[in-house]
Amino acid sequence: MLARDWYYNERNRAGIDRAVASIYDNGEDNDLRARAALKMLGVQRGWRIADIGCGNGVLATEAALMGADVDAIDISPAMLALAEIYARDRKAPVRTQSAGLLSFSYEPNSYDLIVSEFTLHHLPDFWKAVAAARIFRALKPGCSFYLRDIVYVAAPDGAERDVEAWADFHINNHDFERAGVVSHMRDEYSTFGWVMEKMLVDVGFSLVSAEYHAPLHGTYLLRKPDKQG
């Protein structure tokens, strides 16, 4: 294991603007979307679930209301406070943990489902792989990792053109502030979808599905293989 003083400081990214992701999650139906995703994932009463990068806690709360045993995890104290308020207001029994993808605590082979939405892109690629390996170890064999993130869908030779057109469109039509788009392109670590797929498979996951919303959004369903023999 790498020495702790080598570790990437996730807390430097706490509070980074999530505007680029907001187009996929704005509006008042976030609870409906979260519930639909959890039903699609087959969540059962008694499952142990981690939502890493839980944000305002909507998905974690919905999972708890379905009877799951939920850990809501976020590196941002402000977001974690919102998640606690959201869960409390809905009388949902959710545990919170102030941590990130590289620091959340877990017992190996202990989770039935891990979810992470719009969080992994805050890490450089080396640390994405470290985070994915930690998630792999935390899952029970045969269980799933559901990942939604900002990734580049275009081929490398079209990325600059496609992203520029996308940014211009949403700045002009969806109230994106240019500063938020600029900071994401300059300071965050989104990668290509095909790189993400290779990384996740090399960690050990089976890729069940990958869906892309061009040019900057990917959804992945991954499974930790059952134990052999």
Side-chain angles (χ1 to χ4, degrees), residues 69-80:
D69 180 22
V70 181
D71 292 312
I73 301 165
D74 205 289
I75 202 76
S76 164
M79 296 308 295
L80 207 59

Side-chain angles (χ1 to χ4, degrees), residues 121-191:
H121 70 277
H122 289 299
L123 300 177
D125 281 359
F126 175 86
W127 295 105
K128 286 186 180 78
V130 172
R134 299 184 83 242
I135 289 169
F136 184 87
R137 289 192 295 269
L139 282 166
K140 297 175 182 176
C143 291
S144 297
F145 173 34
Y146 180 66
L147 172 66
R148 297 174 73 216
D149 205 13
I150 302 170
V151 299
Y152 299 122
V153 178
D157 63 355
E160 185 172 347
R161 177 189 64 248
D162 291 350
V163 171
E164 186 173 5
W166 172 89
D168 286 344
F169 177 82
H170 290 297
I171 288 168
N172 293 330
N173 296 281
H174 286 98
D175 297 324
F176 272 36
E177 292 187 6
R178 187 177 188 279
V181 175
V182 168
S183 67
H184 175 81
M185 301 306 299
R186 184 187 60 229
D187 300 331
E188 298 190 10
Y189 300 105
S190 296
T191 190

Side-chain angles (χ1 to χ4, degrees), residues 182-208:
V182 168
S183 67
H184 175 81
M185 301 306 299
R186 184 187 60 229
D187 300 331
E188 298 190 10
Y189 300 105
S190 296
T191 190
F192 288 102
W194 55 270
V195 175
M196 186 74 77
E197 290 186 27
K198 180 71 162 59
M199 180 187 304
L200 293 164
V201 169
D202 283 359
V203 163
F205 285 109
S206 297
L207 180 63
V208 177

